[in-house]
Amino acid sequence: DLGPYRHYMQKEIFAQPVALADTLAAALKHGFSPALFGSDAHDIFSKTTAIRIVACGSSYHAGLVARYWIEEYTGLPVSVDIASEYRYRSGKEQDGTLIVAISQSGETADLLAALRSAKERGQVHILALCNVAHSTLTREADLVALTHAGIEIGVASTKAFTTQLAALFTLAGSLAHCRQTLDPAALAELANCLPRLPAMFTDIFPLETALEEWAHELSHYNHALFLGRHTLFPIALEGALKLKEIAYIHAEGYAAGELKHGPLALVDEEMPVIVCAANDALFDKLLSNLREVQARGGKIFLIAEPGCEAAFDYCHRTITLPSKTGPLAPIVFTLPLQFLAYHTACRKGTDVDKPRNLAKSVTVE
Ligand code: M6R
C-alpha cells in the first residue's frame, strides 16, 4: 500500500527515521558493546587483527564509509572489496581477520561466493550485516548484525543503505569499546550522536521541494559528476549510482581531490557537479576544488552543512542542511541525494521502482 506516496522508493525514503530508530534501538538502550553482535563477539573482536569488508553495489559504498570510521576509532587496518572481484583474486587472509559481509538481501551470489572464498584463505571470522534475518548469508556467518529497515520494494536501495551505515557506525563504536582504543569521553561523544539521527532526517524532509527544483534542471543533462571528501566520498559514489540506476543519467562519483587527475577535463557548462560539503577540517581543500570547477564553467549544486557559506560564491545552487552532522555526515547527506535522484527520475518518467535491466536481488553471477 503506497498511502500518500507515488512510488515505493518515495515511501521508503520517508520511512528512514523509523528504520534508523529500529536499527539503532539496541545500541541506544545498551550503548556500544560487542554484545550487540552476539555472545561470541567480545572474544572475536578482541582477537581481530584486520578487517576486510566485502559487498556489492550500495552495500559496497556503505563498506567504504565504514572504513573511515573503523580506522579512525580502532586503528585496525581495513580493506574494502567488491565481492565479484574479491572472489576471483588470490591471496591469503591474515589469521584473525574479521570479514564483514554486507548485504540487504543476504542472497547476492557474488557476496556468498566471496565469503566462502574468504573462509578458505585463512583463520577468519565472518560477520554478516543483513536486512533479512533468515537468509543464506546469516546462516553462513559467525556473527550477525541485522538492519531493521523492513521490506524494501524499490530496486534502488534507500532505507537499506542508511540503516547499514547506522549499523556500521555501531560496529565501529563497539569495536573501539571492546578494544579500548578510544577514551570513554570520546566514545560517549560518538554514542551521543545517535539518538538525534532519526530527527536529523525528519528535519531535512522539508528540503524535498527545493531538491525537486534541482531535479527539474538536472533532468536536462546527460551527465553529472558527484564530489565529496572523506566519508562523503562514498556518498558521492552512492549519489551517482542512484542517478544512473533510476534516472538513466550517466553519473560518476569522485573524491574531490581526484578532480585534477582526470575528470576536470570533462567540466564545462554542460556538466552539473553535485557537491556534498561538510564543515570539517577538509573544507578548505574542498573549496579550492570548487574554484577549479567554477573556473571551467561547471555548474555546482552544493549541499552543505551550516558554516560552509564561503563556498556559495562558486555555486549555481546551494542548499544548507538544518544542523551540523558530525561523524554521522555520510548517513545524513544520503537523504538529499536520494531526493535528487528520485525527482529526476520522476521528471524523466522512468519506472522508478523497477528500473530497466535491474533486479532487486542479484542471485546469479
Ligand atoms: O542485497 P545486496 O545488498 O547484496 O545488493 C547489492 C546490490 O545489488 C544493491 O545494493 C544495488 O546496488 C542497489 N540496487 C543499489 O541501489
Side-chain angles (χ1 to χ4, degrees):
D1 175 24
L2 277 171
Y5 302 103
R6 274 179 72 189
H7 299 97
Y8 283 105
M9 181 178 175
Q10 190 186 26
K11 185 177 179 190
E12 287 159 5
I13 289 173
F14 280 94
Q16 288 175 113
V18 171
L20 288 164
D22 289 350
T23 298
L24 291 171
L28 290 175
K29 195 161 167 211
H30 304 291
F32 291 138
S33 157
L36 300 170
F37 299 86
S39 51
D40 294 337
H42 190 277
D43 191 40
I44 292 174
F45 286 3
S46 317
K47 294 180 185 146
T48 294
T49 56
I51 295 195
R52 182 178 306 275
I53 302 176
V54 285
C56 305
S58 293
S59 299
Y60 169 70
H61 297 156
L64 290 174
V65 172
R67 171 162 61 189
Y68 290 88
W69 287 329
I70 299 172
E71 284 178 348
E72 185 175 338
Y73 306 152
T74 73
L76 280 166
V78 183
S79 48
V80 192
D81 280 87
I82 296 170
S84 59
E85 288 297 315
Y86 176 85
R87 65 180 290 193
Y88 293 116
R89 287 217 325 265
S90 45
K92 297 279 169 234
E93 288 294 357
Q94 178 182 317
D95 286 349
T97 298
L98 180 65
I99 307 284
V100 178
I102 310 173
S103 173
Q104 186 283 130
S105 61
E107 303 297 342
T108 300
D110 280 320
L111 181 75
L112 297 172
L115 76 89
R116 287 166 194 155
S117 163
K119 286 180 184 171
E120 289 168 4
R121 298 182 192 209
Q123 293 290 325
V124 304
H125 286 103
I126 311 277
L127 186 155
L129 177 56
C130 194
N131 195 43
V132 179
H134 302 286
S135 58
T136 311
L137 174 61
T138 57
R139 275 197 297 278
E140 295 193 13
D142 303 296
L143 304 174
V144 175
L146 292 177
T147 48
H148 295 281
I151 293 172
E152 192 178 63
I153 292 173
V155 164
S157 177
T158 52
K159 58 180 183 167
F161 176 71
T162 50
T163 54
Q164 283 170 348
L165 290 176
L168 287 163
F169 186 78
T170 304
L171 173 64
S174 300
L175 279 162
H177 174 81
C178 178
R179 300 169 67 87
Q180 301 182 337
T181 46
L182 284 181
D183 67 61
L187 204 57
E189 204 177 308
L190 291 180
N192 287 340
C193 298
L194 287 177
R196 262 202 36 78
L197 184 59
M200 285 163 112
F201 270 63
T202 318
D203 292 348
I204 290 174
F205 288 160
L207 297 177
E208 185 184 15
T209 320
L211 287 157
E212 194 172 347
E213 283 168 25
W214 285 20
H216 289 185
E217 220 175 309
L218 209 58
S219 65
H220 299 299
Y221 291 94
N222 295 320
H223 307 276
L225 268 182
F226 286 73
L227 300 179
R229 275 180 173 267
H230 198 257
T231 56
L232 295 180
F233 158 48
I235 299 311
L237 296 177
E238 175 64 8
L241 177 62
K242 287 287 95 89
L243 197 69
K244 284 184 267 219
E245 189 175 25
I246 58 168
Y248 312 154
I249 291 177
H250 169 228
E252 293 202 52
Y254 262 97
E258 275 290 291
L259 261 190
K260 279 197 185 70
H261 301 284
L264 200 53
L266 291 170
V267 172
D268 62 13
E269 306 71 41
E270 291 304 306
M271 183 60 84
V273 183
I274 296 102
V275 182
C276 294
N279 181 14
D280 62 8
L282 292 174
F283 177 62
D284 286 342
K285 306 281 177 196
L286 186 73
L287 212 50
S288 50
N289 302 137
L290 298 189
R291 263 187 227 114
E292 290 158 7
V293 172
Q294 195 239 11
R296 273 103 191 154
K299 284 212 173 92
I300 300 173
F301 294 74
L302 181 80
I303 301 166
E305 268 192 323
C308 297
E309 291 72 19
F312 289 6
D313 283 349
Y314 306 112
C315 299
H316 172 64
R317 304 250 178 263
T318 60
I319 279 181
T320 304
L321 299 182
S323 55
K324 278 216 62 146
T325 53
L328 302 180
I331 315 183
V332 179
F333 273 82
T334 301
L335 175 59
L337 298 186
Q338 292 170 346
F339 278 136
L340 194 59
Y342 172 70
H343 285 291
T344 308
C346 288
R347 189 73 179 175
K348 294 195 72 177
T350 63
D351 190 348
V352 172
D353 287 330
K354 284 195 177 63
R356 64 189 183 196
N357 310 336
L358 299 178
K360 181 69 188 161
S361 184
V362 185
T363 54
V364 291
E365 189 176 1

